[in-house]
Amino acid sequence: MRTLFALVLSAALLTGCASAPTAPPDTLRIVTPYKVKSLDPIKQGLWSPEWGYGELLMRGTENGGVEPWLLQRLEPVNAMQWRLVLRPGVTFSNGRALDAAVLKTVLERHLAENTLVKANLPGAKIETPDASTVLLTTSAPVVNLPNLLADEQSVTVFDPQAQGVYTGPFTVSKLDDNELLLARNPKYWDGQAKLAEVRVRFVPDGQARLLAVRTGEADIALYPPTDTLGSVKDATTGPRMATASQPLQQLRAIPNLRRAPMNDVAVRRAFALAIDYDQIAKQVLDGLYRTPKGIYPDVVPYALETQRTNIAEARRLLDDAGWMHSSAGARVKDGKLLRLTVLTYPQQPDTKAVAVAMQAQLSAVGIGVQVTEVQDNYEALKGDAWDVGLSFDGTLGYTYDPIGPLRDFLTSQGSKNFGHIADPELDTLVSTLRNTPDATARTPVLHQIQRVIADRAYLTVVAQRSSAAVVGGAFTNYRPSSVLHHVTATTQAG
């Protein structure tokens, strides 16, 4: 009864009436759990390519690569210098041209304020030999620059002289705590967008997002929880589930090495061995996820199988490390119970379902689990009151980059090294990777990195998936973007 009441209440809050109005065919209505907090190009710039009001210098594609976007060409000059040639005719929504001088200012602003860009472009110097060309020189090779420039958290392009002005096919007409309204950009440099308007509502409740599509209040619900998809995943009429082409989204378990017991490699390895990845993907997540075999999805040729389930080996590791069973069945060492605090977060409701499943699986080897939900997983991971954090972060990012995510999440200087890994060998291997321009020569280095991560249990990929959405109304043919470009100039009904 409470569930039914909650659904009815959610519907009332979304619709405000018994029947939803019909949207014009050139208007798209989307519900999402993630809130755009501001138009700040450094702190919140990642939303601009997702929602079509901004663009990047490069972009990820649906076929597994990256290509120029605002750039016409990106060329290596030598090991530590790249030539960035802008596409002609690009303008911001206010009509101002994007030229080399403007791009130089944008890059310098990111280098000064964006920790991710500063970390990945060491010693960067920028020159503008002509009005359309930027020369980027670094103090060390940056062989993955094409991927970095396609990363939505890296160099977002904005007008440095006007707040909230970007180059995309849409402009922001309204932004508050509840919604983002986008209007067609009449000055868009690459032709007119198919849609006149996009309405994005921030709806944290997964059931409410699905119900919004069912009642006709929304056309697309992003990030649908798995437990809501049973009635739509095989539907051929009405609301249905749609998925992206590439499995770039990974649910990762990040261990906190700064506090016991996850500072013990035996506990970390036992944790990884005790998880039944196949059961999580096929039963807990209803077959909508893939079973991971390692930290990289098997769509890339250098992926190794480094993860497996082995309860007996997990128990032996804990026995050998001195974690003994108490009379109550829990493991104890030096008077302390083997108990983990596992973090989940509501924007990705599947994290809770997975944590509960892990709780049961880990109990089989004597590891206790307390599931704790936090409102912002990254902010919580910056603290220290946790042992394992669940987070959706792909080891390829959304640009098919094996280098950047390794450096950011798993090296001692990484800006997202939430687990506090400090491993000189891993640092050296990642540095070698970053200094190896030939992709074939990088493969054995990537193999060794994967073995080190598995042997020392620095990261566990619990499940992987393609981006999903529930679609309805005039947008039943919509397919989610593998690289999170939810709305583009070509998005349209039918």
Side-chain angles (χ1 to χ4, degrees):
M1 181 63 72
R2 290 183 180 178
T3 302
L4 177 60
F5 175 76
L7 290 176
V8 172
L9 178 60
S10 297
L13 290 173
L14 283 168
T15 62
C17 58
S19 60
T22 301
D26 60 356
T27 294
L28 171 61
R29 302 161 303 168
I30 298 181
V31 285
T32 177
Y34 289 104
K35 182 184 294 185
V36 179
K37 297 178 182 178
S38 77
L39 299 181
D40 185 306
I42 306 297
K43 297 179 180 179
Q44 291 277 292
L46 75 161
W47 302 116
S48 63
E50 290 201 16
W51 294 118
Y53 60 88
E55 296 164 313
L56 303 169
L57 296 172
M58 300 286 287
R59 64 180 158 201
T61 69
E62 295 296 320
N63 61 6
V66 295
E67 65 183 13
W69 196 353
L70 293 178
L71 292 182
Q72 184 178 60
R73 298 191 309 278
L74 178 63
E75 306 165 335
V77 178
N78 54 50
M80 290 182 287
Q81 188 176 72
W82 290 78
R83 180 182 293 110
L84 288 67
V85 181
L86 284 163
R87 192 182 297 274
V90 176
T91 61
F92 294 97
S93 59
N94 59 6
R96 186 185 184 200
L98 172 63
D99 59 18
V102 173
L103 180 56
K104 181 177 186 290
T105 302
V106 169
L107 287 167
E108 288 173 341
R109 173 91 177 268
H110 277 287
L111 287 165
E113 301 178 27
N114 187 328
T115 56
L116 183 66
V117 173
K118 186 176 182 179
N120 282 293
L121 299 179
K125 296 181 179 179
I126 303 159
E127 302 171 83
T128 55
D130 59 54
S132 62
T133 304
V134 166
L135 287 177
L136 174 63
T137 305
T138 52
S139 58
V142 183
V143 299
N144 61 328
L145 184 66
N147 308 86
L148 291 173
L149 296 183
D151 184 346
E152 63 178 23
Q153 298 188 66
S154 185
V155 181
T156 54
V157 179
F158 58 95
D159 184 344
Q161 293 184 355
Q163 185 175 3
V165 176
Y166 296 83
T167 65
F170 299 96
T171 60
V172 177
S173 56
K174 177 184 176 183
L175 174 62
D176 60 28
D177 285 344
N178 300 311
E179 64 183 349
L180 166 72
L181 297 185
L182 303 166
R184 181 188 285 145
N185 176 9
K187 297 180 181 179
Y188 183 49
W189 62 272
D190 198 25
Q192 180 173 280
K194 300 291 185 182
L195 295 171
E197 183 181 42
V198 181
R199 304 172 186 171
V200 183
R201 296 198 66 189
F202 311 132
V203 180
D205 184 82
Q207 293 278 1
R209 292 199 301 278
L210 176 61
L211 195 61
V213 178
R214 286 192 179 280
T215 60
E217 183 70 16
D219 302 298
I220 298 169
L222 297 179
Y223 306 101
T226 294
D227 62 6
T228 68
L229 293 173
S231 61
V232 298
K233 71 174 184 176
D234 298 318
T236 56
T237 60
R240 66 177 184 85
M241 188 183 78
T243 57
S245 58
Q246 302 288 352
L248 297 181
Q249 292 193 339
Q250 294 175 312
L251 177 55
R252 310 200 292 182
I254 302 169
N256 184 358
L257 275 64
R258 196 151 63 175
R259 76 177 205 169
M262 295 305 273
N263 59 354
D264 184 342
V265 65
V267 175
R268 298 198 303 272
R269 290 182 62 194
F271 169 88
L273 286 164
I275 298 172
D276 189 333
Y277 306 97
D278 206 45
Q279 183 190 55
I280 287 174
K282 294 178 180 177
Q283 297 179 28
V284 177
L285 298 172
D286 202 22
L288 299 173
Y289 284 64
R290 302 186 189 186
T291 303
K293 301 295 180 63
I295 69 165
Y296 289 115
D298 56 15
V299 295
V300 294
Y302 47 80
L304 294 181
E305 292 192 14
T306 56
Q307 290 187 182
R308 55 196 171 86
T309 302
N310 191 319
I311 299 297
E313 186 175 348
R315 288 171 175 159
R316 179 185 59 77
L317 282 168
L318 294 174
D319 288 342
D320 292 347
W323 289 96
M324 299 293 103
H325 279 290
S326 68
S327 57
R331 287 185 181 263
V332 180
K333 182 178 180 180
D334 299 330
K336 295 183 179 180
L337 289 173
L338 182 50
R339 187 172 179 82
L340 308 178
T341 297
V342 176
L343 301 186
T344 68
Y345 56 113
Q347 294 88 347
Q348 294 284 2
D350 288 351
T351 57
K352 188 168 186 178
V354 169
V356 172
M358 288 168 51
Q359 187 178 51
Q361 293 172 357
L362 292 167
S363 68
V365 299
I367 300 176
V369 169
Q370 175 183 319
V371 179
T372 300
E373 184 174 86
V374 295
Q375 291 304 306
D376 187 320
N377 67 316
Y378 274 16
E379 284 302 314
L381 292 174
K382 291 175 184 177
D384 216 26
W386 59 280
D387 300 300
V388 176
L390 296 183
S391 184
F392 274 96
D393 295 294
T395 43
L396 295 175
Y398 293 101
T399 68
Y400 312 96
D401 179 12
I403 301 174
L406 282 176
R407 187 199 185 285
D408 296 336
F409 284 93
L410 295 169
T411 66
S412 57
Q413 300 302 313
S415 60
K416 299 177 184 176
N417 181 13
F418 301 119
H420 307 288
I421 298 166
D423 187 322
E425 182 183 3
L426 185 56
D427 285 352
T428 299
L429 285 167
V430 174
S431 178
T432 300
L433 194 67
R434 297 177 70 205
N435 286 276
T436 306
D438 181 67
T440 302
R442 288 201 294 263
T443 296
V445 184
L446 280 163
H447 285 173
Q448 183 60 20
I449 287 171
Q450 291 172 78
R451 294 187 187 101
V452 167
I453 291 170
D455 289 346
R456 297 163 200 179
Y458 289 144
L459 176 70
T460 302
V461 176
V462 182
Q464 63 187 31
R465 69 179 182 189
S466 300
S467 299
V470 175
V471 299
F475 290 85
T476 53
N477 289 328
Y478 176 91
R479 187 170 191 181
S481 166
S482 299
V483 296
L484 301 186
H485 296 165
H486 306 306
V487 180
T488 70
T490 60
T491 304
Q492 60 184 315

